[in-house]
C-alpha cells in the first residue's frame, strides 16, 4: 500500500502516475474531488497529517511506501517525525524544500526528492524502485529468519538442518533451472546456504547440455528429505499441480505464470513478465550482485527459451534483463547449449512425424509417432513440422509408458493452444506452445500395434478437432 501525504498540484501529478498500479491512500486537509477519487479506488483521508489520529485512520502502520509531498517545511518535518514513529518499516520518500537542506536531519528518510530537479514521472519511478527494495528486504528477512530457525532446531551435529531448499517444477526447463541458480546465489550472498531440487527428469538435449556444461548441481527430490530444510522456495511455478511433492510449508514463491494456487510469506508473481529468470536478474541488478559467466549464461538462455527468442509474451523487463546479461554471458557455451547433438531416437521421431502427418484444413498437421521412450522428442517434432511450407499449427502425439503425450505449436494467432489442450485433455501452456498428457486407459489392453495406432490416432485427432471446432467432414 502507498500513502501520499500532501495532495497539492505536485502530489496530484504523482498520484495520476501510480494510482492504477497499487492501492493508494491520500491524506490532505482539503481534497475537492474526494468523491471522484474514491470512485477510482483511492482511499481518501481528509485531515491534518501531523496528528496521530489522522495517520492511524489512514493505517499508516500498514503502508509499504509513504510519500511526504507538502510544500511547507515545518509541516513536512512534523509529518516525517510522526511517520517515522508510527510506520518505522515503510520506505519513506520526502519532498525537499529549498533553503532547508537539513530539514530531515536525524530522521530515517530513505529518499529525499527535489521536485525542481525531478518531475512527477521520476517520483513514480522512485515508487517502483522502492517497491522492489521493499520486496528484497522482505526476501532477505525470510531467509535470515529461516537460518536462525535452523540454528535453534539443531541439537546435535547429526540433526543439523540446511537452511534453504529451492524447488523447481516437475521436469524443469531452462527458466526454472536458471532462476533457482540465481536465487541460490542471492541467498548465499546473505550467508544462507541453499540446495536446488527437482522432480521428474531433465528433458530435452538442450536442457541436459545446459546442466552439464554449466555445472549446475541439482538434487533429485527422491534423494533428499524435504523435512531437513527450514525454508522452502518455489521458482517458476506457483501451483501445486506442477510440484514433484507437496512441501510441508512454502516460504518463498517467485514466478511469472498466472495459475497461482499456492501462498507463501514472500510472493513475487508477475504474469506480465515473460520469464522468471528476468525477475531474478532484476534482483541481481538491484542488489548489485555481479553474475558469474555460468549464471549469466543460464539466465540469458532461460529468458530466451521461455520467450521463444523474445517473440512470445515478452515484457520490457525481459529485454532489460537480457541486455544486462549480454555483457556477462559465455557465447561459446551458449552456442553449445542451443545446438546440442541430436539423439538417434529424436531423429527417428522427426522422421515418423513427417511420414505420418495428416493435414487438416490445409494448414493443421497432426502426427502420431507411436511408442517412444523420450517424450522430449515430441515438442522437437512439433517445432520441426511447423517449419513445413503451408503449415501453421502442429499436434504431435505418442505413447510414453502408460500415457499418451501431446505437444502442440502454432503460428496462427487466432488459436490459443494452451486453452485448446486444457479443454481437450486438461493440459496447458502458452498461446503458441502447449502440451498435455492423458492415461492410456483402456487402450493398454490392445496388444496389436496397428489396432492401437488407429485407436489412439483417431481418438486424439477427433478430440482436438472437436475443441478447435472443425468437423471430421471438413478435413
Amino acid at each position: 500500500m502507498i500513502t501520499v501525504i500532501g495532495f497539492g498540484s505536485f502530489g496530484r501529478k504523482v498520484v495520476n502516475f501510480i494510482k492504477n498500479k497499487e492501492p493508494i491512500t491520500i491524506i490532505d486537509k482539503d481534497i475537492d474531488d474526494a468523491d471522484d477519487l474514491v470512485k477510482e479506488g483511492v482511499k481518501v483521508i481528509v485531515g491534518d497529517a501531523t496528528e496521530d489520529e489522522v495517520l492511524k485512520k489512514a493505517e499508516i502502520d500498514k503502508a509499504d511506501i509513504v510519500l511526504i509531498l507538502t510544500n511547507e517545511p515545518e509541516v513536512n518535518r512534523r509529518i516525517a517525525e510522526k511517520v517515522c514513529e508510527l510506520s518505522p518499516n515503510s520506505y519513506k520518500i520526502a519532498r525537499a524544500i529549498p533553503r532547508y537542506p537539513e530539514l530531515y536531519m536525524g530522521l530515517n528518510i530513505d529518499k529525499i526528492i527535489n521536485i525542481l530537479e525531478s518531475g512527477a514521472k521520476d517520483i513514480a519511478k522512485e515508487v517502483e524502485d522502492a517497491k522492489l527494495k521493499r520486496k528484497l528486504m522482505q526476501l532477505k528477512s525470510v531467509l535470515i529468519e529461516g537460518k536462525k530457525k535452523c540454528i535453534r532446531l539443531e541439537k546435535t551435529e547429526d540433526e543439523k538442518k540446511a537452511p534453504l531448499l529451492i524447488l523447481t517444477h516437475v521436469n524443469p526447463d531452462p527458466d526454472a533451472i536458471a532462476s533457482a541458480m540465481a536465487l541460490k546465489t542471492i541467498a548465499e550472498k546473505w550467508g544462507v546456504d541453499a540446495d536446488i531440487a527437482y522432480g521428474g527428469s531433465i528433458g530435452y538435449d538442450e536442457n541436459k547440455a545446459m546442466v552439464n556444461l554449466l555445472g549446475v548441481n541439482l538434487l533429485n527430490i527422491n534423494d533428499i528429505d524435504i523435512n531437513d530444510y527450514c525454508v522452502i522456495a518455489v521458482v517458476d511455478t506457483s501451483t501445486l499441480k506442477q510440484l514433484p511433492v507437496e512441501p510441508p510449508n512454502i516460504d518463498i514463491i517467485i514466478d511469472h505464470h498466472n495459475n497461482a494456487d499456492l501462498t507463501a510469506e514472500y510472493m513475487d508473481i508477475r504474469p506480465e513478465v515473460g520469464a522468471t529468470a528476468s525477475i531474478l536478474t532484476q534482483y541481481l541488478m538491484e542488489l548489485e550482485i555481479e553474475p558469474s559467466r555460468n549464471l549469466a549464461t543460464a539466465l540469458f538462455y532461460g529468458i530466451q527459451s521461455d520467450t521463444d527468442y523474445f517473440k512470445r509474451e515478452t515484457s520490457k523487463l525481459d529485454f532489460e534483463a537480457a541486455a544486462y546479461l549480454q555483457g556477462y554471458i559465455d557465447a561459446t557455451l551458449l552456442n553449445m547449449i542451443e545446438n546440442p547433438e541430436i539423439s538417434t531416437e529424436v531423429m527417428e521421431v522427426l522422421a515418423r512425424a513427417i511420414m505420418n502427418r495428416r493435414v487438416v484444413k490445409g494448414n493443421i498437421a497432426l502426427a502420431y509417432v507411436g511408442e517412444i521412450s523420450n517424450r522430449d522428442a515430441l515438442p522437437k517434432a512439433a517445432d520441426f513440422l511447423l517449419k513445413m511450407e503451408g503449415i501453421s499449427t502442429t499436434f504431435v502425439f505418442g505413447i510414453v509408458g502408460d500415457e499418451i503425450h501431446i505437444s502442440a505449436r502454432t503460428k496462427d494467432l487466432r488459436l490459443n493452444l494452451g486453452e485448446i489442450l486444457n479443454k481437450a485433455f486438461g493440459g496447458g501452456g502458452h498461446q503458441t506452445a502447449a502440451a498435455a498428457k492423458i492415461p492410456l486407459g483402456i487402450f493398454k489392453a490392445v496388444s496389436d500395434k496397428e489396432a492401437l495406432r488407429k485407436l489412439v490416432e483417431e481418438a486424439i485427432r477427433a478430440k482436438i478437432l472437436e475443441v478447435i471446432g472443425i468437423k471430421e467432414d471438413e478435413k
Side-chain angles (χ1 to χ4, degrees):
M1 182 177 76
I2 300 171
T3 300
V4 178
I5 304 174
F7 197 57
S9 59
F10 185 73
R12 188 177 294 272
K13 289 179 182 178
V14 173
V15 169
N16 285 337
F17 279 115
I18 65 176
K19 66 183 177 183
N20 295 321
K21 300 179 180 179
E22 292 285 335
I24 294 178
T25 298
I26 297 172
I27 307 174
D28 202 303
K29 289 180 179 180
D30 185 23
I31 303 178
D32 295 333
D33 52 348
D35 292 341
D36 293 335
L37 289 165
V38 170
K39 289 178 183 178
E40 294 179 36
V42 177
K43 183 176 179 180
V44 176
I45 303 295
V46 177
D48 187 346
T50 63
E51 297 178 0
D52 289 7
E53 294 75 15
V54 173
L55 292 175
K56 289 177 179 177
K57 185 178 180 181
E59 298 182 297
I60 198 74
D61 58 315
K62 297 180 181 178
D64 297 307
I65 302 168
V66 179
L67 284 75
I68 304 169
L69 301 179
T70 83
N71 59 4
E72 301 177 47
E74 292 185 6
V75 173
N76 265 19
R77 172 71 193 197
R78 287 163 59 198
I79 292 173
E81 290 172 351
K82 291 290 185 182
V83 170
C84 288
E85 176 188 344
L86 299 175
S87 185
N89 296 321
S90 63
Y91 189 94
K92 303 167 191 67
I93 301 174
R95 175 178 178 172
I97 306 293
R99 301 189 304 278
Y100 294 88
E102 299 181 356
L103 181 61
Y104 304 105
M105 181 71 72
L107 297 180
N108 185 25
I109 301 298
D110 297 284
K111 190 78 174 181
I112 299 173
I113 298 292
N114 187 334
I115 68 167
L116 297 179
E117 299 173 0
S118 303
K121 283 186 179 181
D122 295 325
I123 299 288
K125 184 179 184 306
E126 285 292 339
V127 169
E128 291 297 314
D129 292 343
K131 284 161 55 180
L132 180 59
K133 286 181 172 69
R134 284 273 302 171
K135 288 199 77 69
L136 291 174
M137 287 168 57
Q138 184 190 1
L139 177 62
K140 183 176 182 179
S141 175
V142 171
L143 291 172
I144 297 299
E145 288 302 314
K147 181 179 179 180
K148 291 178 181 176
K149 178 183 175 183
C150 279
I151 294 173
R152 290 196 301 270
L153 291 173
E154 291 170 7
K155 296 178 181 178
T156 68
E157 186 65 25
D158 294 336
E159 294 178 324
K160 190 171 184 179
K161 290 178 176 285
L164 173 63
L165 177 67
I166 304 170
L167 197 58
T168 72
H169 54 69
V170 178
N171 309 319
D173 60 6
D175 188 24
I177 295 169
S179 298
M181 292 169 65
L183 183 55
K184 177 182 171 72
T185 298
I186 292 168
E188 291 177 347
K189 183 76 173 180
W190 290 331
V192 179
D193 293 332
D195 290 331
I196 302 172
Y198 72 98
S201 62
I202 307 296
Y204 301 130
D205 295 328
E206 293 89 345
N207 298 0
K208 293 173 184 175
M210 173 183 175
V211 171
N212 293 331
L213 289 170
L214 300 181
V216 187
N217 184 20
L218 301 176
L219 305 176
N220 192 292
I221 195 68
N222 296 320
D223 297 332
I224 64 172
D225 184 349
I226 200 168
N227 294 304
D228 286 343
Y229 296 87
C230 296
V231 181
I232 296 176
V234 172
V235 294
D236 200 36
T237 186
S238 46
T239 175
L240 186 60
K241 297 175 185 176
Q242 290 291 323
L243 293 183
V245 294
E246 183 172 355
N249 63 283
I250 299 176
D251 304 279
I252 298 165
I253 297 174
I254 305 173
D255 186 27
H256 76 113
H257 296 96
N258 193 20
N259 56 0
D261 57 33
L262 296 172
T263 58
E265 182 178 354
Y266 178 89
M267 298 181 68
D268 191 353
I269 301 175
R270 307 188 211 173
E272 74 278 6
V273 177
T276 304
S278 298
I279 300 173
L280 269 299
T281 300
Q282 185 187 44
Y283 286 9
L284 294 173
M285 294 164 65
E286 178 62 33
L287 295 168
E288 298 182 352
I289 298 175
E290 187 171 308
S292 66
R293 295 188 78 79
N294 283 4
L295 175 57
T297 304
L299 288 166
F300 187 89
Y301 184 60
I303 298 169
Q304 185 174 266
S305 62
D306 235 44
T307 60
D308 190 17
Y309 289 80
F310 306 97
K311 298 192 296 287
R312 179 181 67 209
E313 299 173 10
T314 309
S315 71
K316 179 182 177 183
L317 178 59
D318 299 303
F319 286 107
E320 290 175 345
Y324 168 76
L325 295 167
Q326 186 74 43
Y328 296 98
I329 64 173
D330 187 318
T332 301
L333 285 180
L334 182 61
N335 184 59
M336 293 171 69
I337 292 169
E338 292 176 322
N339 300 285
E341 294 181 351
I342 300 176
S343 67
T344 302
E345 182 183 11
V346 171
M347 292 293 288
E348 290 175 350
V349 171
L350 293 178
R352 269 183 259 164
I354 295 170
M355 296 298 295
N356 298 342
R357 74 188 185 281
R358 296 188 64 173
V359 180
V360 179
K361 298 284 286 184
N363 61 358
I364 300 176
L366 301 99
Y368 172 65
V369 295
E371 297 183 47
I372 61 175
S373 60
N374 183 2
R375 66 174 184 83
D376 301 325
L378 295 175
K380 286 185 176 294
D383 283 327
F384 191 78
L385 286 184
L386 198 62
K387 296 177 181 179
M388 297 185 69
E389 184 178 1
I391 300 299
S392 64
T393 304
T394 62
F395 295 89
V396 179
F397 47 100
I399 298 173
V400 184
D402 292 334
E403 296 175 323
I404 301 170
H405 285 250
I406 306 155
S407 186
R409 298 289 187 270
T410 189
K411 295 182 287 189
D412 189 342
L413 297 180
R414 295 172 298 176
L415 299 179
N416 187 316
L417 295 181
E419 292 180 0
I420 290 170
L421 290 192
N422 181 52
K423 188 174 181 181
F425 309 110
H430 301 281
Q431 178 181 353
T432 57
K437 62 179 179 179
I438 55 175
L440 196 55
I442 60 172
F443 294 148
K444 284 197 296 185
V446 181
S447 57
D448 183 272
K449 287 193 174 183
E450 180 60 22
L452 179 63
R453 180 192 68 77
K454 288 183 178 180
L455 287 170
V456 171
E457 186 173 9
E458 290 176 6
I460 298 299
R461 186 181 70 249
K463 188 63 178 178
I464 289 172
L465 296 180
E466 175 190 338
V467 172
I468 294 175
I470 299 175
K471 295 180 180 179
E472 288 285 326
D473 58 7
E474 293 181 12
K475 295 181 292 179

